[in-house]
Amino acid sequence: MPIIKSAKKRVKTANKARARNAHFKRSMRDALKAFNKAVASGKAADIQKTQRDAVSALDTAVKKEIIHRNKAARQKAALAARAKAAGAKVTKTTAKKSAAPAPKKTAKPAPKRPAAKKTPAKKATK
């Protein structure tokens, strides 16, 4: 057991982080298991939904730095390959679009002012 106050605090924060990481890791594993079960059942709609959930769980784990991004990319590619082999349509996710388009600017930009003239540097005398 640590004696120094800062070391005691690190033990507390490490325990909190361990619990938090375990939660996200468990949810990621559950999502992957659900995908495997859906592939075994062969229902295309279930495969697509569970694949989307599994990819989301992998992305969350990468964002929380629980797994490395290359591992997540490798697993997502494997998920897509298994889904395609099982006969599910591959759907690409797109970035969310904003609800309202940005308003257009109608005012003309202000004209540029000419650059200020620099004064010549003084010569040093010896």
Side-chain angles (χ1 to χ4, degrees), residues 8 30 33 39 48 60 67 71 75 85-86 91-92 96 116 121:
K8 289 178 184 177
D30 288 343
K33 285 179 184 179
V39 168
Q48 285 180 337
T60 302
I67 62 172
K71 179 177 180 175
Q75 287 184 338
T91 57
K92 291 187 179 183
K96 292 182 181 178

Coordinates of all heavy atoms in Angstrom, one line a residue, residues 8 30 33 39 48 60 67 71 75 85-86 91-92 96 116 121:
K8 N -1.3 7.5 -3.2 CA -2.6 7.0 -2.8 C -3.7 7.5 -3.8 O -4.6 6.7 -4.2 CB -2.9 7.5 -1.4 CG -2.1 6.9 -0.3 CD -2.5 7.5 1.0 CE -1.7 6.9 2.1 NZ -2.0 7.5 3.4
D30 N -19.5 -7.7 -26.0 CA -20.9 -8.1 -26.2 C -21.4 -7.8 -27.6 O -22.2 -8.6 -28.2 CB -21.8 -7.4 -25.1 CG -21.6 -7.9 -23.7 OD1 -21.0 -9.1 -23.6 OD2 -21.9 -7.2 -22.8
K33 N -20.0 -10.3 -30.0 CA -20.7 -11.6 -29.8 C -22.1 -11.6 -30.4 O -22.5 -12.6 -31.1 CB -20.8 -12.0 -28.3 CG -19.5 -12.4 -27.8 CD -19.6 -12.8 -26.3 CE -18.3 -13.1 -25.7 NZ -18.4 -13.4 -24.3
V39 N -24.8 -13.4 -37.5 CA -24.2 -14.1 -38.7 C -24.6 -15.6 -38.7 O -24.9 -16.1 -39.8 CB -22.7 -13.9 -38.8 CG1 -22.1 -14.8 -39.9 CG2 -22.4 -12.4 -39.1
Q48 N -27.0 -6.5 -40.3 CA -26.7 -5.1 -40.6 C -26.8 -4.3 -39.3 O -25.9 -3.5 -39.0 CB -27.7 -4.5 -41.6 CG -27.4 -4.9 -43.0 CD -28.4 -4.3 -44.0 OE1 -29.5 -3.9 -43.6 NE2 -28.0 -4.2 -45.2
T60 N -15.9 3.6 -30.3 CA -16.0 4.2 -28.9 C -14.7 3.7 -28.1 O -14.1 4.5 -27.4 CB -17.2 3.8 -28.2 OG1 -18.4 4.2 -28.9 CG2 -17.3 4.4 -26.8
I67 N -8.6 0.3 -27.0 CA -7.8 -0.5 -28.0 C -7.2 0.4 -29.0 O -7.5 1.5 -29.1 CB -8.8 -1.6 -28.7 CG1 -9.9 -0.8 -29.5 CG2 -9.4 -2.6 -27.7 CD1 -10.7 -1.7 -30.4
K71 N -6.1 -2.0 -34.5 CA -6.8 -3.2 -34.1 C -8.3 -3.1 -34.5 O -8.9 -4.0 -35.0 CB -6.7 -3.5 -32.6 CG -7.4 -4.8 -32.2 CD -7.2 -5.0 -30.7 CE -8.0 -6.3 -30.3 NZ -7.7 -6.7 -29.0
Q75 N -10.5 -5.3 -37.1 CA -11.7 -5.9 -36.7 C -12.9 -5.5 -37.5 O -13.8 -6.3 -37.9 CB -12.0 -5.7 -35.2 CG -11.0 -6.5 -34.4 CD -11.3 -6.4 -32.9 OE1 -11.9 -5.5 -32.4 NE2 -10.9 -7.4 -32.1
A85 N -20.0 -11.9 -46.7 CA -20.1 -13.4 -47.0 C -21.4 -14.0 -46.6 O -21.9 -14.9 -47.2 CB -18.9 -14.1 -46.3
A86 N -22.0 -13.4 -45.5 CA -23.3 -13.9 -45.0 C -24.5 -13.5 -45.9 O -25.6 -13.9 -45.7 CB -23.5 -13.5 -43.6
T91 N -23.6 -1.3 -46.2 CA -24.0 0.0 -46.1 C -22.9 0.9 -45.6 O -22.3 0.6 -44.6 CB -25.3 0.2 -45.2 OG1 -24.9 -0.3 -43.9 CG2 -26.4 -0.6 -45.8
K92 N -22.6 2.0 -46.3 CA -21.6 2.9 -45.9 C -22.2 4.0 -45.0 O -23.3 4.5 -45.3 CB -20.9 3.5 -47.1 CG -20.1 2.6 -47.9 CD -19.3 3.3 -49.0 CE -18.5 2.3 -49.8 NZ -17.6 3.0 -50.7
K96 N -22.9 13.0 -40.5 CA -24.2 13.6 -40.2 C -24.2 15.0 -40.9 O -23.2 15.8 -40.7 CB -24.4 13.7 -38.7 CG -24.6 12.4 -38.1 CD -24.9 12.6 -36.6 CE -25.0 11.2 -35.9 NZ -25.3 11.4 -34.5
A116 N 1.0 49.9 -44.8 CA 1.7 51.1 -44.2 C 3.1 51.1 -44.7 O 3.7 50.0 -44.7 CB 1.6 51.1 -42.7
A121 N 15.5 52.2 -41.7 CA 16.2 51.9 -40.4 C 17.4 53.0 -40.3 O 18.0 53.4 -41.3 CB 16.8 50.5 -40.4

